[in-house]
Amino acid sequence: MQSRYFTIHDHPQGMPKRDLFKLEERELPELQDGEVRIRNSWLSVDPYMRGRMDGVTTYIDPFELGKPLEGAAVGEVIESRNSRFKEGDKVRHMGGWRDVAQLPGDQVEALPEFDVPEQAYLGVLGMPGTTAWVGLNIIAEMKDGDNVLVSAASGAVGSLAVQLAKAKGGTVVGIAGDQKKLDWLESQGIKAVSYKGKGAKQLSEDLKAACPEGFDVYFENVGGDCLEAALNNLRVGARIAVCGMISRYNDQTPSAGPGNLAMILIRRARMQGFIVFDHWEHHGDFLKEFASRVASGEIDYQETVEEGLEQTPDAFLKLFEGGNQGKMLVKL
Ligand code: NDP
């Protein structure tokens, strides 16, 4: 059995170029005791993968040059030498960026049986959905009626964060990059503010116009001007959940932090970073609260789908150009 997979052979400087990614092919070794072979049907591409390309250990190991890239995927077991799995089982695992994965069974989990499409377990009911839930409930300790600001608000994490926040009342404002995304946010009852072509000062004024009382919670996905503008619009006692800073992931030299960091002091605010996997014990609670709302259509989760394994690098690169609305996925 052949497996086709993507590798990188160098560490990118700045925004990766398409030719960084090589599509390779190899014959898989015979299946060992305890292993399963999976034909992937959906691949996830995520912003955190950019950090894994730098050859540096952060909260996760870097990708190894010349080895298959990794990422979340769902697929179907096509061969098993593990008693937990049989042919035809639908599973989720980290052997993405390839069409056929072969893994030890303890690195594979059966998909839950909610009435949702299987790719939902890569987005709304997977890591991004759990991130939105953890960031709001555990890190920002959002309370009913809080005013909430979310950046990258129509992406995989942001589009769920705004809906979760909206359900608890208060004014919810989302920052996003283009008109289609702003329209979608408004269709959800979210006040939408564009950041494109504005500096922090203008963005700050636009946020003030959208929510003059200021924000109790800022769900940070972007950094840079969004953070500076958000700091100017905090209420006393605000909580900032630092989920991501995508505007910085391709920086080649460190950029200056916001000049108004003293707003944390002035507004007696708390700012806390988090990595969702440190809080994975909440995934079960999240599924219990969320899966039926997703299955009933109450949660309007968005997907952007690229078709074919060959499109995986393009799908990944589009994350940094705003080319996705909701979860960016590759369908095989
Ligand atoms: P998204 O689906 O939100 O895709 C990324 C979006 O970011 C783009 O669509 C784009 O939207 C926006 N963006 C890209 N570059 C910039 C820029 N320079 N300035 C402003 N906006 C930009 O991705 P995810 O939902 O998967 O991830 C969102 C954030 O959450 C990322 O920072 C990611 O690293 C982080 N994350 C953190 C986790 C954790 O455990 N801490 C777990 C999962 C994600 P637009 O058109 O609006 O510009």
Side-chain angles (χ1 to χ4, degrees), residues 117-162:
E118 60 184 356
Q119 73 274 19
Y121 297 105
L122 297 176
V124 62
L125 293 183
M127 185 274 277
T130 312
T131 303
W133 192 93
V134 166
L136 280 180
N137 293 309
I138 309 296
I139 308 301
E141 298 179 316
M142 187 194 164
K143 297 188 289 294
D144 285 355
D146 275 350
N147 294 340
V148 178
L149 173 65
V150 179
S151 52
S154 86
V157 174
S159 62
L160 302 171
V162 290

Side-chain angles (χ1 to χ4, degrees), residues 47 131 155-157 176-177 181 195 221-222 243-244 247 249 274 276 319 324:
T131 303
V157 174
K181 297 178 180 186
Y195 71 90
N221 285 319
V222 169
C243 174
S247 71
Y249 294 174
F274 72 101
V276 66
L319 292 170
N324 64 303

Side-chain angles (χ1 to χ4, degrees), residues 66-136:
K67 295 270 177 67
L69 297 177
E70 295 169 356
V74 297
E76 185 174 312
V77 173
I78 50 173
E79 207 182 327
S80 174
R81 291 191 62 188
N82 185 301
S83 58
R84 287 174 54 228
F85 299 101
K86 59 180 190 317
E87 224 177 283
D89 284 352
K90 295 288 174 81
V91 293
R92 179 173 62 187
H93 56 92
M94 287 300 286
W97 288 85
R98 69 196 86 173
D99 54 4
V100 180
Q102 186 163 317
L103 297 165
D106 61 4
Q107 294 176 19
V108 177
E109 58 178 327
L111 292 188
E113 289 185 349
F114 295 107
D115 187 18
V116 297
E118 60 184 356
Q119 73 274 19
Y121 297 105
L122 297 176
V124 62
L125 293 183
M127 185 274 277
T130 312
T131 303
W133 192 93
V134 166
L136 280 180

Side-chain angles (χ1 to χ4, degrees), residues 188-223:
Q188 301 299 310
I190 314 295
K191 292 193 180 180
V193 173
S194 167
Y195 71 90
K196 279 274 162 83
K198 297 177 186 171
K201 188 165 178 289
Q202 182 62 51
L203 183 56
S204 183
E205 283 166 19
D206 292 355
L207 293 180
K208 189 166 180 52
C211 183
E213 323 82 71
F215 298 101
D216 303 286
V217 168
Y218 174 41
F219 195 110
E220 166 69 304
N221 285 319
V222 169

